[in-house]
Amino acid sequence: MAEKRNFTIAGNWKMNTTLNEAVDLVNKIRSGAADFGRVETIVCPPFISLSKVKELLEGTSIQLGAQDVFYEEKGAFTGEISPGMLSSLCRYVIIGHSERRTYFHETDDVVNRKVKAAIRHGLKPIMCVGENLDEKDAGATESIINRQISLGLSGIESADLLIAYEPIWAIGTGRAATSAYANQVMNYIRELLCKILHTGKALRIPLLYGGSVNAENITDLLSQNDIDGALVGGASLKPDQFLSIIRQANELGSR
Ligand SMILES: O=C[C@H](O)COP(=O)(O)O
């Protein structure tokens, strides 16, 4: 996808920031990000801060995302948040992050239901996939990705979504995948999407890389043909780092 140079940079704040800290963080990002118009910048704070962060982002081009959503519309599901509750607040929602798959036992079927529910409500899912270290070492990366994408997107024809490839062994470890490795897997994902969806649709789906992305490795990663952006964890909590990542994406997109 050498011609596609409108990058997407999403910050996943995970379970970090109180309401006050979220306000402080978004104010710093907002004031620094004004000139980076070629980049679709997304911040994904915890649920409790979505409403306030939405207010603070008004008048900017920075988009808001949630970190999860339930698939039911409403009812007796204590602690859950429905797609209808989110759709008036955010444009994006992360679904199937490996931390949810690992700690909250989310299956591909649950991920699929969530993706369908989000799309039904006009939210853009950022569906996460990725192999763990044992799977990588066993040479099973492609079969794991194949399963997660085929089942996660089962019955879905819309291209209004993003895929985040996050090798689990690279998340929060400071050891990002090499850009060549990430691009190879993401090229596989692109080809898989072309088989599952109409090719024209598949080519429109942004593929984000996630796993120890920082200001030092972002340009190298985004220089790869099949990497359209990044899902950033730890570095998205540091305004200088996050702004540097967006700035570099903007510069690369402007060339
Ligand atoms: O959602 C973000 C990813 O899990 C990456 O996190 P990280 O940048 O801290 O490795």
Side-chain angles (χ1 to χ4, degrees):
M1 305 301 101
E3 74 283 2
K4 274 184 67 179
R5 299 287 85 177
N6 283 316
F7 296 111
T8 299
I9 303 292
N12 176 9
W13 297 2
K14 305 193 180 185
M15 197 176 72
N16 295 293
T17 67
T18 62
L19 180 57
N20 285 342
E21 288 165 347
V23 167
D24 189 45
L25 180 54
V26 81
N27 277 335
K28 288 179 177 146
I29 293 170
R30 187 180 60 164
S31 58
D35 299 329
F36 307 143
R38 289 193 69 86
V39 180
E40 176 82 339
T41 301
I42 307 161
V43 293
C44 304
F47 285 130
I48 60 146
S49 301
L50 284 174
S51 181
K52 186 67 190 172
V53 171
K54 177 183 162 62
E55 267 175 52
L56 295 170
L57 291 179
E58 259 156 41
T60 78
S61 60
I62 301 173
Q63 300 297 326
L64 190 59
Q67 297 176 19
D68 186 30
V69 65
F70 195 44
Y71 49 75
E72 293 287 353
E73 300 287 326
K74 60 157 117 174
F77 303 102
T78 302
E80 292 298 330
I81 302 287
S82 75
M85 293 172 186
L86 289 182
S87 60
S88 59
L89 282 173
C90 331
R91 178 174 294 179
Y92 293 91
V93 58
I94 298 169
I95 294 177
H97 192 283
S98 62
E99 287 147 18
R100 295 217 55 88
R101 293 178 190 255
T102 301
Y103 302 126
F104 304 97
H105 313 295
E106 286 193 7
T107 61
D108 292 312
D109 177 58
V110 167
V111 170
N112 178 248
R113 289 182 192 210
K114 290 184 171 188
V115 171
K116 283 178 174 158
I119 290 173
R120 232 180 4 254
H121 284 267
L123 292 159
K124 275 188 158 205
I126 303 174
M127 189 180 90
C128 301
V129 299
E131 82 284 9
N132 65 30
L133 193 56
D134 287 345
E135 291 160 346
K136 174 177 183 275
D137 289 346
T141 298
E142 290 191 357
S143 68
I144 295 295
I145 300 288
N146 188 319
R147 192 205 73 220
Q148 291 174 333
I149 291 195
S150 304
L151 296 179
L153 296 185
S154 174
I156 291 166
E157 291 185 2
S158 169
D160 247 350
L161 54 95
L162 300 83
I163 303 285
Y165 168 56
E166 299 206 311
I168 297 170
W169 45 270
I171 296 176
T173 60
R175 292 191 302 275
T178 63
S179 57
Y181 179 87
N183 193 61
Q184 182 188 323
V185 178
M186 291 165 84
N187 182 263
Y188 174 76
I189 293 174
R190 182 78 71 196
E191 285 175 2
L192 190 58
L193 291 173
C194 287
K195 282 185 201 149
I196 294 173
L197 299 164
H198 183 276
T199 301
K201 280 185 186 173
L203 294 178
R204 289 205 306 276
I205 296 178
L207 303 186
L208 312 185
Y209 167 79
S212 296
V213 171
N214 58 38
E216 282 71 52
N217 58 26
I218 187 67
T219 289
D220 182 32
L221 287 161
L222 295 186
S223 299
Q224 301 290 321
N225 282 351
D226 281 298
I227 305 183
D228 303 318
L231 181 54
V232 186
S236 72
L237 297 168
K238 300 172 188 154
D240 290 349
Q241 276 269 328
F242 193 58
L243 288 170
S244 173
I245 289 168
I246 304 166
R247 184 181 311 113
Q248 292 178 61
N250 194 61
E251 281 168 12
L252 210 53
S254 307
R255 278 184 204 163

